[in-house]
């Protein structure tokens, strides 16, 4: 007899409150409330319902700033079975942990003065862990539908200068399949230097295109539609490898290599915006802020919307960090980060953004820095200060160290929770 049991209360409720402040002078509160019913069908199933909302207002002052208020609200529900529900291969269960999750969601976002965006969809996901170190996650069906409901004249002006942004936000279905493999041997007692490796492969629009192909229309044909709206077609591969070398109980060297490729075809050569790659920020190249570099050697004119152009189809990133104990729960780190994103295809509106071997070395951004960590065992507070060593675009300054401007103004300051990798 193999008996699996979990002790828990039948109902769980969770309330989260937060306040967000952004660099565009938008500030406001957010909240989410979820209720979970455990053992809902008497077989260890979990049913969750979640409501969320956020509101932001313009804090920069000025005439008409009250008109720049933005809000977002959404609802989702998920049902998790601690076994494989469909398809069933006989009445026998797997002799390792397996689960099936079905999810539905809807989100409404109002970006004041620019647009309204409605996004809804659902997915079915299977998770398997056949060994203590390997985990498989398969999503054979994931459907998302984005509807750009309202566009203002201000949005049209921004979109005119950012054609790729407009294409990535167009009304479209995103029917996708996804597979993720995760290897993590940190739980094995005999392993001194743990390895963590995760690879995700996503395919969007291929089944739908296959149906069109059966009826004589090629995969590469444009303007194919699903229920009256175009659908995305792309292949995406993303991988992340991490290694921790423990020198002793107080010193360690952590390293990471990450990369990704996104190939679009058929209906559009531009992938949905949330599928594109970007670098920079607290968990990436810490000498640069999020979406402040790339793609390639392209550098847009500085404006409120310049970050919108700084995404790509190819991502390469490498990090190394020396971690040491300073005093009790206070730790320190010295790090070196490098990487960038590039485009697969030539884009006349973003020159020098395509990946080429000739320009690759000088288009790799490089930064160093140091940081502090306060380790509470269950929570780690982190503060990092990044120093740029090389900008991937032409700054007008010769030499490898081509960073222009006052040194103190170029620093990247990041406060975060948890280790970057």
């Amino acid at each position: 007899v193999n008996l699996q049991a979990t002790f828990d209360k039948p109902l769980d409720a969770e309330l989260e409150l937060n306040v967000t402040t952004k660099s565009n002078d938008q500030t406001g509160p957010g909240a989410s409330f979820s209720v979970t019913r455990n053992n809902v069908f008497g077989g260890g199933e979990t049913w969750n319902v979640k409501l969320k909302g956020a509101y932001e207002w313009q804090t920069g002052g000025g005439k008409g700033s009250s008109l720049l208020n933005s809000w977002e609200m959404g609802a989702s529900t998920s049902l998790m079975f601690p076994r494989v529900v469909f398809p069933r291969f006989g009445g026998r269960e797997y002799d390792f942990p397996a689960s099936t999750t079905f999810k539905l969601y809807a989100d409404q976002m109002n970006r004041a003065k620019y647009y309204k965006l409605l996004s809804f969809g659902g997915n079915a996901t299977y998770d398997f862990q056949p060994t203590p170190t390997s985990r498989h996650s398969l999503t054979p069906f994931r459907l998302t539908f984005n509807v750009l409901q309202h566009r203002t004249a201000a949005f049209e002006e921004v979109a005119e200068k950012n054609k790729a942004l407009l294409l990535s936000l167009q009304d479209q279905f995103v029917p996708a399949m996804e597979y993720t493999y995760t290897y993590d041997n940190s739980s094995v007692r005999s392993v001194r230097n743990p390895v963590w490796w995760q690879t995700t492969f996503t395919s969007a629009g291929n089944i739908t295109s296959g149906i069109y192909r059966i009826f004589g229309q090629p995969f590469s044909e444009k303007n194919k539609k699903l229920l009256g709206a175009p659908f995305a077609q792309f292949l995406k591969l993303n991988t992340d490898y991490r290694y921790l070398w423990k020198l002793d109980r107080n010193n360690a060297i952590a390293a990471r290599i990450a990369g990704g490729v996104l190939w679009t075809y058929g209906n559009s050569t531009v992938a949905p915006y949330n599928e594109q790659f970007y670098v920079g920020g607290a968990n990436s190249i810490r000498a640069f802020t999020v979406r402040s570099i790339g793609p390639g050697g392209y550098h847009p004119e500085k404006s409120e919307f310049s970050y919108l152009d700084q995404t790509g189809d190819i991502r390469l990133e490498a990090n190394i960090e020396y971690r040491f104990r300073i005093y009790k729960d206070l730790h320190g780190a010295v790090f070196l980060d490098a990487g960038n994103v590039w485009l697969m295809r030539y884009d006349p509106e973003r020159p020098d953004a395509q990946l080429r071997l000739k320009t690759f070395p000088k288009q790799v951004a490089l930064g160093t820095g140091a940081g502090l960590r306060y380790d509470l065992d269950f929570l780690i507070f982190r503060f990092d200060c990044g120093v740029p060593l090389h900008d991937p675009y032409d700054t007008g300054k010769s030499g490898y160290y081509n960073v222009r401007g006052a040194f103190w103004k170029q620093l990247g300051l990041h406060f975060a929770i948890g280790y970057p990798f």
Side-chain angles (χ1 to χ4, degrees):
V1 176
N2 184 11
L3 180 65
Q4 295 181 342
T6 301
F7 181 77
D8 208 344
K9 295 181 179 181
L11 280 173
D12 286 330
E14 184 174 303
L15 175 65
E16 295 182 5
L17 303 173
N18 65 76
V19 176
T20 302
T21 300
K22 298 180 180 179
S23 58
N24 60 357
D25 293 328
Q26 291 269 330
T27 299
S32 67
F33 178 71
S34 65
V35 177
T36 302
R37 176 69 165 88
N38 296 313
N39 202 33
V40 62
F41 300 131
E45 303 86 1
T46 300
W47 179 37
N48 175 267
V49 176
K50 182 176 182 179
L51 302 175
K52 68 176 183 178
Y55 185 80
E56 298 175 356
W57 59 82
Q58 190 80 9
T59 60
K63 184 179 179 180
S65 62
S66 62
L67 300 177
L68 296 179
N69 298 343
S70 300
W71 52 266
E72 181 179 0
M73 60 182 181
S76 65
T77 181
S78 63
L79 183 60
M80 190 278 289
F81 297 83
R83 55 191 175 275
V84 176
V85 177
F86 178 83
R88 295 283 298 190
F89 300 104
R92 190 174 179 182
E93 298 290 346
Y94 292 105
D95 58 355
F96 51 79
S99 66
T100 306
T101 303
F102 301 102
K103 181 178 180 180
L104 295 172
Y105 75 92
D107 286 301
Q108 175 75 73
M109 181 176 65
N110 178 62
R111 181 71 167 87
K113 197 182 173 182
Y114 297 105
Y115 63 86
K116 268 187 179 181
L117 181 67
L118 175 64
S119 178
F120 59 90
N123 62 65
T125 302
Y126 299 90
D127 293 304
F128 306 89
Q129 190 169 356
T131 69
T133 59
S134 295
R135 184 182 182 89
H136 305 268
S137 180
L138 176 63
T139 302
F141 177 78
R142 186 185 75 194
L143 181 63
T144 302
F145 187 33
N146 298 323
V147 183
L148 196 59
Q149 297 172 303
H150 176 66
R151 299 188 295 188
T152 66
F155 176 83
E156 298 291 353
E157 183 180 348
V158 175
E160 182 65 27
K161 300 177 182 178
N162 299 269
K163 297 294 180 60
L165 171 66
L166 182 61
L167 287 173
S168 66
L169 288 176
Q170 67 178 346
D171 295 355
Q172 63 179 325
F173 277 100
V174 186
M177 298 182 295
E178 187 172 275
Y179 168 73
T180 299
Y181 171 75
T182 305
Y183 177 82
D184 183 2
N185 64 359
S186 59
S187 61
V188 181
R189 291 186 177 183
S190 60
V191 174
R192 175 181 173 85
N193 303 316
V195 169
W196 185 91
W197 177 41
Q198 185 175 85
T199 298
T200 300
F201 175 73
T202 306
S203 172
N206 291 301
I207 293 181
T208 314
S209 298
I211 297 174
Y212 272 86
R213 187 70 183 89
I214 293 175
F215 289 95
Q217 299 186 32
F219 276 91
S220 58
E221 182 176 341
K222 297 185 180 298
N223 301 318
K224 295 189 295 292
K225 293 184 178 182
L226 176 65
L227 300 179
F231 57 88
Q233 291 179 267
F234 64 83
L235 298 173
K236 182 179 180 181
L237 179 66
N238 197 25
T239 187
D240 191 327
Y241 180 87
R242 305 174 186 182
Y243 180 78
L244 182 62
W245 182 22
K246 296 180 180 179
L247 303 176
D248 55 43
R249 60 183 299 178
N250 296 319
N251 298 271
I253 295 177
R256 175 177 67 171
I257 298 176
V261 178
L262 175 63
W263 173 254
T264 55
Y265 63 96
N267 276 1
S268 176
T269 57
V270 179
Y273 191 76
N274 62 343
E275 296 288 350
Q276 298 174 28
F277 296 111
Y278 61 89
V279 293
N283 298 317
S284 182
I285 308 173
R286 285 160 280 184
F288 304 91
T289 56
V290 177
R291 294 185 177 92
S292 63
I293 53 175
Y298 170 71
H299 187 63
E301 295 182 8
K302 192 170 183 179
S303 70
E304 183 182 355
F305 309 103
S306 58
Y307 71 94
L308 295 172
D309 272 344
Q310 301 196 257
T311 57
D313 309 315
I314 302 172
R315 167 179 168 249
L316 292 173
E317 190 176 333
N319 316 79
I320 188 167
E321 182 174 279
Y322 170 53
R323 300 170 180 172
F324 54 91
R325 185 188 300 271
I326 298 176
Y327 180 72
K328 293 187 176 180
D329 294 332
L330 182 63
H331 298 251
V334 179
F335 55 83
L336 185 69
D337 304 324
N340 202 345
V341 294
W342 289 266
L343 297 182
M344 275 278 209
R345 300 177 175 92
Y346 174 73
D347 184 352
E349 296 185 1
R350 291 186 284 180
D352 209 22
Q354 190 177 12
L355 179 63
R356 295 179 297 171
L357 292 177
K358 182 180 179 180
T359 57
F360 173 78
K362 68 177 182 180
Q363 290 180 354
V364 176
L366 183 68
T368 186
L372 296 174
R373 292 95 168 86
Y374 190 70
D375 190 349
L376 299 176
D377 289 333
F378 63 92
L379 192 65
I380 297 173
F381 294 96
R382 173 167 58 95
F383 176 77
D384 286 331
C385 177
V387 181
L389 298 178
H390 178 72
D391 283 328
Y393 54 89
D394 184 8
T395 64
K397 187 176 180 180
S398 60
Y400 187 78
Y401 180 79
N402 61 347
V403 181
R404 296 184 64 89
F407 176 80
W408 298 108
K409 292 183 178 181
Q410 306 302 319
L411 299 179
L413 304 178
H414 307 281
F415 179 75
I417 303 296
Y419 286 111
F421 53 88

